Amino acid sequence: MGDTRRVVDGEQRSTVRPLRPAAPPGGGAGPVPRPRSNPAPEPAADSRADAKRAAVEPPAEPAESKAEPAEPEAKPAAAEAGPVGEPVAGRRRRLPFAHAVRVPPPRQLAVGAARATRAWSRRPSGRTTLPALFLLVLVAATATAGALLVPAAVRKPQSVSVDATTNAPVQGVPQPGVVPGATGVPVGPGATGLPGTPFPTLTATPGGTPTGPVVGPVNPGRPADALAAWAQQVSAATGIPQVAMQAYGYAELVLAQTQRSCQLSWTTLAAIGYVESRHGSANKATLQANGVAVPEIVGAPLDGQGGRSRILDTDQGQLDHDRVYDKALGPMQFIPSTWQEIGADADNDGVKNPHDIDDAALAAGRYLCKGGRNMTIPGDWWGAILSYNDVRRYAQDVFDKADEYGRLSGT
């Protein structure tokens, strides 16, 4: 028997194998002896190593496939781990944080945000900051709504005249309770020196200094000529041309009969005539004996330039001879659209002429008395003048001149 020693898996083992004869006895072929019932010998170490490699490594490709090398396939980024940590064929491994980045549904987000806000609002910082934020949002929403809705709902009234030279800021606007004629004198029953008190009539005021136009014989031509004597006296005291003075006084008389509650004084009309055209002498014009200004007084185009308003043509150029923009007209500087609405014929010639001081003064008085105004009430007086020309400097200039005329004339 031979004794063979091998080292397998780090363990030294001895295997006893019987010696066999080189040939069966008798030199002939005899029956093959049956193997003994000894345990099967363990495979050699080299055989077992080859078996392991065969189990792990895939079988070698046939020679035909090696002729044309195929492009390597991209390896999966990650494979799902099996029970023992080995990759499972055909499945990808999910990242360990895949469940952490899952986005919750919108409703869950809203509920979470509401809970966080409610919890924050119960803290001291939240109780202070949250009302302030709510108030800020409310103010911003109100301002936005006002900026969008108010301009669309409220339209600024259009002035009778447009004066591009009176845009300077006003200083020293009189306090409420004051009207032109007596600076600083409050309005009240029995007050004197106020415009329109007492009311003039169509007959001469008996005795004393007249408080309004004194009417003489009625002229079948120009009705304002009946005030010639009175106008001559007041003109000498105030410096107002007599023909213009007759027009202002006649307008007061007519309005005293037709709109008695208005109580408009000629001093206010004269002040507007002075501020607008220096009583019909602007642009080197002169008032004729019949009250018409020659040449016609026409303002600059209202094209939005130089501080002027922008008003497109409203009369097809019939009054101002401009088919693109409107222009202010006459001694009282009416814009065409307003004259078409309020124009008057005060000299009974059958024509409403904005260039006639008689027609223009009466139309201006009617406009100031619109809406049931009482021109002895400060609020009504200032509202009427600003409706004529919505510039505070303009209204202040009219006030100052009307007050001056009232003091100089004693009315």
Side-chain angles (χ1 to χ4, degrees), residues 142-156:
T142 304
T144 302
L148 295 175
L149 299 179
V150 172
V154 180
R155 184 181 179 182
K156 183 178 179 181

Side-chain angles (χ1 to χ4, degrees), residues 45-409:
D46 296 338
S47 328
R48 287 188 294 174
D50 295 338
K52 277 188 179 182
R53 277 196 303 269
V56 175
E57 294 179 0
E61 297 180 3
E64 291 78 8
S65 63
K66 291 182 181 180
E68 296 181 3
E71 295 182 359
E73 296 183 359
K75 296 183 179 180
E80 184 177 356
V84 293
E86 292 292 336
V88 178
R91 299 178 63 183
R92 296 178 180 271
R93 177 185 299 174
R94 284 182 286 182
L95 298 177
F97 51 85
H99 294 282
V101 295
R102 184 174 59 89
V103 179
R107 182 176 181 181
Q108 185 176 352
L109 287 174
V111 172
R115 290 177 179 174
T117 303
R118 184 168 60 252
W120 173 69
S121 64
R122 294 174 180 173
R123 301 175 184 172
S125 60
R127 287 194 298 266
T128 304
T129 307
L130 194 60
L133 290 176
F134 178 76
L135 181 60
L136 181 62
V137 172
L138 183 61
V139 170
T142 304
T144 302
L148 295 175
L149 299 179
V150 172
V154 180
R155 184 181 179 182
K156 183 178 179 181
Q158 182 172 275
S159 302
V160 171
S161 63
V162 181
D163 188 353
T165 64
T166 57
N167 290 330
V170 65
Q171 299 292 336
V173 176
Q175 297 178 355
V178 178
V179 293
T183 303
V185 178
V187 176
T192 58
L194 300 178
T197 56
F199 298 118
T201 63
L202 292 180
T203 59
T205 302
T209 303
T211 56
V214 179
V215 181
V218 177
N219 191 325
R222 180 183 180 227
D225 288 341
L227 305 177
W230 171 84
Q232 184 177 6
Q233 296 177 3
V234 179
S235 175
T238 60
I240 301 173
Q242 182 175 337
V243 64
M245 192 67 249
Q246 292 174 359
Y248 302 142
Y250 183 74
E252 178 182 331
L253 287 175
V254 173
L255 292 170
Q257 300 300 319
T258 59
Q259 293 178 260
R260 188 176 181 86
S261 62
C262 181
Q263 304 185 47
L264 175 65
S265 170
W266 66 266
T267 56
T268 296
L269 293 174
I272 292 176
Y274 174 83
V275 174
E276 292 289 359
S277 69
R278 297 300 187 268
H279 306 299
S281 63
N283 297 344
K284 299 180 180 182
T286 303
L287 289 178
Q288 305 298 304
N290 60 358
V292 178
V294 178
E296 294 182 348
I297 302 174
V298 180
L302 301 178
D303 53 5
Q305 304 296 322
R308 295 183 295 272
S309 299
R310 187 175 186 270
I311 304 177
L312 297 177
D313 176 63
T314 59
D315 66 333
Q316 290 76 45
Q318 295 179 2
L319 296 175
D320 57 8
H321 315 297
D322 190 333
R323 293 179 175 271
V324 180
Y325 299 103
D326 272 349
K327 297 178 181 179
L329 304 168
M332 305 300 277
Q333 288 290 279
F334 280 90
I335 58 178
S337 59
T338 306
W339 180 257
Q340 291 171 344
E341 171 194 353
I342 206 74
D345 177 19
D347 56 3
N348 297 331
D349 64 353
V351 179
K352 297 178 181 180
N353 184 4
H355 299 284
D356 188 333
I357 188 69
D358 298 312
D359 296 353
L362 182 56
R366 288 178 175 176
Y367 186 88
L368 294 174
C369 292
K370 284 178 61 175
R373 293 189 183 103
N374 184 339
M375 297 298 285
T376 63
I377 298 175
D380 284 2
W381 190 93
W382 286 98
I385 302 304
L386 290 172
S387 72
Y388 201 93
N389 192 339
D390 192 13
V391 179
R392 289 176 62 85
R393 179 71 262 172
Y394 174 89
Q396 181 64 57
D397 290 343
V398 172
F399 178 93
D400 293 341
K401 207 63 184 178
D403 183 70
E404 177 186 340
Y405 289 151
R407 288 185 286 103
L408 292 175
S409 62

Side-chain angles (χ1 to χ4, degrees), residues 2-14:
D3 187 359
T4 303
R5 299 181 182 268
R6 288 188 180 183
V7 178
V8 179
D9 297 336
E11 181 180 355
Q12 184 176 357
R13 299 181 181 179
S14 59

